[in-house]
Amino acid sequence: MFYIKPPSGQISLHVMDKCVSTRLEYLEYLYNNKANEFDGDFQYLLENSTYDRVGHFILRLITLTSIDLWIYWVSRETLLLKHRLDNIVPRQLNSLLRSIIRQLDMVEHKENNIILNIRRICVFYLQPMIFKHIMSNDHAKNCCIFHYQVRFELIPELIKHREVDLNAGYAIVYCSQWKQLLIALFNTYINQDLKCKKSHALYVVNNDIRFISLKQKIQLYMLQDRPTFGKINNRNIDVEVKKFPLCMQHLHRILRKRHRLSHYARLYYSLFLKESGMKINDAIEYWKEEYSKPHACTSICTHRWQTNEKKFIYSIRHLYGLEGSHRNYTSPSCSIMCTQIPGSTYEGGCPFKNFDTNILTDFLSTSLTKDEIHKFLEVIPLQRPEIICTSYFKLVHKNNNDNVVVTSPLQYYAMTTDLY
């Protein structure tokens, strides 16, 4: 389960491809809590089999070449370990711990801190009294009879979630937490590869046509896009923006001018672009382009892509349902845009409700005549913003359908795409 030593020997390309594709598919089912629905070939997933190890190490090698692929894969591979430990029986655990010790004794740099600690912990849990205790059916979930002390920097995930007690730089891990400890150490051990072997992986993958082809397949699978509709990308957005509702046109204009948006403005605009068809890779490039530029002096956001890249990428992937809870976030409705003002620094809102007359007049002048603008300004206090926005849509796009009522920025854009 720890995958310390890669398998040796030869394997045909189509079998290697099958090992990787089957593993990827199963990891995705597992990540989405649907492992029982997987109907693939389990021979490629049998724990500690050659196929199982080939699938792991090939994915590990290829994802080392991209931080985005690595983040995606590690979270799922860690979940696979948890799933296996949750279903392990005493004989399998005994075999696993002894296998880890045996493999660690064969690697170079045995003095490595993480390797030393993993080995010591395996020896600790293999002690007959302790092993029998942690595998007993009546072992309590909060049992503290036995404990092990490990340096806090080796288990950052447990520290982060405050799952362990700290004492003089050591984390005290109780016997009831043996699974969490093994998972945390696995995560630390495998993440060391990113620091130690990244350059070597880049050289190997980029100089082998077989790996290049396999990496492209993996990228297509891992970064598959899930837009609702539309065709927006980071190259045509300045043209497509003319079809946006005024609220989203405004956020686009502010972003292009200041190269920053406040939190909620960025959230709402990102979700609108996502559901309007902007793919994940285009979204990353789009926000990278803006947030790599110096922010305007009027901007309240001072974050820079160069220093917060991982955070930005994770945030974008999270909105696309590729990280965290995998929640399907949706773009805001008109009612939210009209009523929710998340703070004095928020640049968004509904132009027909939240903007002053001068800003609104400036917006309307790009598509309406002075007489039309005057009429709009007269009826705004008398009608709901959604009705005003609907009238604006009909006027600009010469649409006389009385059944049309704008209820969200996304719907507005969807109706414009039907017209073009």
Side-chain angles (χ1 to χ4, degrees), residues 3-4 43 51 64 91 149 160-161 193 199 203 218 222 251 260 301 314 329 353 366:
Y3 304 101
I4 296 164
Q43 73 166 314
Y51 289 160
L64 275 168
R91 176 182 55 81
Q149 295 190 53
K160 176 182 176 182
H161 295 101
D193 266 8
S199 58
Y203 176 80
I218 292 171
M222 286 187 173
L251 294 181
R260 301 293 188 277
C301 178
Y314 181 89
Y329 292 93
K353 178 178 174 63
T366 61

Side-chain angles (χ1 to χ4, degrees), residues 377-406:
L377 295 179
E378 286 183 338
V379 300
I380 282 177
L382 306 175
Q383 294 182 348
R384 289 187 295 113
E386 294 95 324
I387 303 301
I388 300 295
C389 190
T390 302
S391 300
Y392 172 79
F393 171 83
K394 291 179 179 179
L395 184 60
V396 171
H397 298 289
K398 312 302 182 204
N399 186 314
N400 296 317
N401 186 353
D402 292 332
N403 294 322
V404 172
V405 177
V406 175

Side-chain angles (χ1 to χ4, degrees), residues 361-379:
T361 301
D362 180 53
F363 263 162
L364 296 175
S365 64
T366 61
S367 54
L368 301 179
T369 65
K370 289 185 178 180
D371 288 339
E372 290 170 337
I373 292 174
H374 181 70
K375 291 180 182 178
F376 264 97
L377 295 179
E378 286 183 338
V379 300

Side-chain angles (χ1 to χ4, degrees), residues 240-401:
E240 285 292 301
V241 72
K242 298 173 184 177
K243 306 173 190 177
F244 291 2
L246 290 183
C247 55
M248 295 301 161
Q249 285 190 35
H250 172 67
L251 294 181
H252 179 81
R253 181 186 294 185
I254 292 294
L255 181 61
R256 288 300 198 204
K257 180 180 179 181
R258 300 179 183 174
H259 311 302
R260 301 293 188 277
L261 287 174
S262 62
H263 172 73
Y264 281 98
R266 186 170 70 249
L267 171 65
Y268 292 160
Y269 190 41
S270 294
L271 292 174
F272 171 79
L273 293 178
K274 166 201 164 189
E275 294 201 286
S276 295
M278 180 172 275
K279 298 178 180 180
I280 179 68
N281 288 344
D282 287 323
I284 291 173
E285 287 300 315
Y286 177 65
W287 292 103
K288 178 180 179 179
E289 177 187 354
E290 291 301 324
Y291 274 70
S292 294
K293 297 175 182 178
H295 64 85
C297 59
T298 54
S299 171
I300 59 130
C301 178
T302 59
H303 295 300
R304 296 174 67 248
W305 188 275
Q306 291 86 337
T307 55
N308 299 95
E309 182 178 10
K310 289 183 181 180
K311 181 179 179 181
F312 278 124
I313 291 176
Y314 181 89
S315 176
I316 294 168
R317 286 175 57 81
H318 188 271
L319 292 180
Y320 275 73
L322 299 173
E323 297 291 350
S325 62
H326 285 240
R327 175 183 170 186
N328 183 26
Y329 292 93
T330 57
S331 60
S333 64
C334 286
S335 60
I336 291 177
M337 297 292 291
C338 290
T339 59
Q340 186 172 355
I341 307 297
S344 59
T345 58
Y346 177 53
E347 314 95 323
C350 175
F352 300 115
K353 178 178 174 63
N354 305 121
F355 291 10
D356 64 42
T357 303
N358 292 333
I359 295 177
L360 181 58
T361 301
D362 180 53
F363 263 162
L364 296 175
S365 64
T366 61
S367 54
L368 301 179
T369 65
K370 289 185 178 180
D371 288 339
E372 290 170 337
I373 292 174
H374 181 70
K375 291 180 182 178
F376 264 97
L377 295 179
E378 286 183 338
V379 300
I380 282 177
L382 306 175
Q383 294 182 348
R384 289 187 295 113
E386 294 95 324
I387 303 301
I388 300 295
C389 190
T390 302
S391 300
Y392 172 79
F393 171 83
K394 291 179 179 179
L395 184 60
V396 171
H397 298 289
K398 312 302 182 204
N399 186 314
N400 296 317
N401 186 353

Side-chain angles (χ1 to χ4, degrees), residues 1-2 74-87 93 96-97 100 114 118 121-122 125 154-158 161 163 173 176-191:
M1 293 181 191
F2 260 62
V74 167
S75 60
R76 286 155 177 77
E77 196 68 38
T78 304
L79 190 62
L80 176 60
L81 174 61
K82 180 181 184 303
H83 176 71
R84 286 173 167 175
L85 289 178
D86 285 341
N87 295 279
L93 179 60
L96 169 64
L97 297 176
I100 292 174
I114 182 67
I118 293 175
I121 287 168
C122 289
Y125 286 132
L154 298 179
I155 51 172
E157 286 299 310
L158 296 183
H161 295 101
E163 296 182 34
V173 185
S176 56
Q177 299 172 300
W178 68 269
K179 293 179 184 177
Q180 294 95 311
L181 177 58
L182 289 177
I183 293 169
L185 288 171
F186 170 79
N187 203 273
T188 301
Y189 174 76
I190 205 170
N191 272 292

Side-chain angles (χ1 to χ4, degrees), residues 13 113 166 212 216 241 399 402 413:
L13 186 59
N113 199 18
L166 293 175
I212 292 173
Q216 290 173 345
V241 72
N399 186 314
D402 292 332
Y413 177 63

